[in-house]
Amino acid sequence: MGMNATAPRFAPAVLTGESEDNFSKLAADFFIARLETLKSPLVALPTGNTPLGLYRALVTDHGHRRDLWDQMRFLALDEYIGLPQNDPRLFYGWLCREFLDRAGIPDKNRVFFQSDAADPAAEAQRIEEWLRQNGPIDLAVLGLGTNGHIAFNEPGSGFDQPAHVVALTADSITANAGYWGSAESVPKTAMTLGLGNLATARQTLLLVNGAHKAAMLARVLHGPVTVDVPATYLRTIPNVTIITDRAALSAP
Ligand code: GLP
């Protein structure tokens, strides 16, 4: 065990979909099953390509569940800093378009970091305080960065951090360049929930698909638990489920 490593305490449950459709359906069924019995559950939501199928399945297969959509509360995991709040490339715009608007989630049940806040550190603190008063998160839905990041907790992020401002790593800027047209256009800083916030979630669902995530998923499941791979914090908390497709499990 290296200097930064801690002992794993829990093993996440892993469910694997045989096809892309099945991956998304598994995720949507898990989401509904874990939340439908709770009163006004708080759900943390990721952006990216990975959860697109989940969001589609929630709207097409479960869109009629007004009883759920009228009371669930949603908190975005992270946001870029410094753009006007109506910029369609922000995570805010992305989540509204892909899910919240389609499911008809009331505005009062959407909580976001404001990209254009004058003082981003104070904005991160506002979300921290909101979570202290309105939390804990009932279900944290997460994607995995190819560098092991969770939300924008980049390699080296402490497992106990609160919501905070981050400088994005070159890896994350490259990985997100596609959404921005070029790497130069990707904002260099962001606000994110910390791993400390996410670690207190009652349930956690990590979604991982594609062969390009296989090597990192293998490290998350079997490598040393270390801040160098932020997603390994998942082996220090209970009630974690990982839903994958076949390709994501294809590491040698
Ligand atoms: C961004 C987000 C993460 C997300 C990651 C993976 O970096 N901050 O929350 O998990 O992208 O995106 P994708 O699902 O497109 O691989």
Side-chain angles (χ1 to χ4, degrees):
M1 215 181 283
M3 255 188 17
N4 285 330
T6 38
R9 297 179 55 217
F10 300 95
V14 180
L15 305 175
T16 303
E18 294 301 324
S19 66
E20 200 50 45
D21 262 10
N22 195 241
F23 165 76
S24 301
K25 188 177 164 4
L26 272 177
D29 291 349
F30 179 96
F31 182 104
I32 297 292
R34 291 303 152 110
L35 296 173
E36 69 182 344
T37 59
L38 305 181
K39 176 110 193 65
S40 308
L42 176 61
V43 187
L45 292 182
T47 50
N49 280 319
T50 314
L52 278 177
L54 161 66
Y55 296 149
R56 217 167 283 137
L58 287 175
V59 172
T60 52
D61 300 350
H62 305 278
H64 59 284
R65 295 293 304 270
R66 290 286 4 135
D67 58 322
L68 302 182
W69 307 127
D70 287 342
Q71 46 133 358
M72 274 188 199
R73 298 169 299 146
F74 295 95
L75 172 61
L77 287 175
D78 49 10
E79 187 58 277
Y80 295 105
I81 287 175
L83 288 108
Q85 197 57 26
N86 63 2
D87 190 302
R89 296 167 300 183
L90 287 179
F91 289 157
Y92 171 76
W94 193 99
L95 275 174
C96 290
R97 229 166 24 242
E98 299 297 339
F99 177 56
L100 301 172
D101 291 351
R102 289 186 193 171
I105 305 302
D107 277 343
K108 67 173 177 27
N109 292 342
R110 307 176 182 198
V111 181
F112 287 91
F113 290 96
Q114 299 293 305
S115 177
D116 56 2
D119 178 348
E123 176 62 2
Q125 234 164 48
R126 178 185 72 85
I127 294 289
E128 180 73 18
E129 188 50 35
W130 184 90
L131 199 50
R132 205 188 329 270
Q133 284 175 22
N134 298 281
I137 295 167
D138 290 290
L139 177 65
V141 183
L142 307 173
L144 179 65
T146 46
N147 66 351
H149 77 209
I150 290 286
F152 269 141
N153 292 275
E154 298 282 34
S157 303
F159 288 177
D160 55 0
Q161 273 195 294
H164 61 284
V165 168
V166 289
L168 299 183
T169 60
D171 278 350
S172 291
I173 290 172
T174 309
N176 285 297
Y179 298 105
W180 291 84
S182 71
E184 293 69 49
S185 314
V186 181
K188 303 296 176 280
T189 54
M191 293 167 278
T192 185
L193 293 185
L195 295 179
N197 304 124
L198 296 173
T200 61
R202 293 192 164 116
Q203 298 275 335
T204 302
L205 173 60
L206 175 70
L207 301 175
V208 190
N209 64 3
H212 64 300
K213 299 278 178 78
M216 184 45 73
L217 179 59
R219 289 177 69 181
V220 172
L221 287 172
H222 309 298
V225 173
T226 163
V227 296
D228 300 337
V229 183
T232 58
Y233 90 95
L234 294 167
R235 284 158 60 211
T236 70
I237 61 168
N239 305 319
V240 175
T241 303
I242 303 181
I243 295 184
T244 77
D245 66 356
R246 284 263 147 230
L249 287 179
S250 64

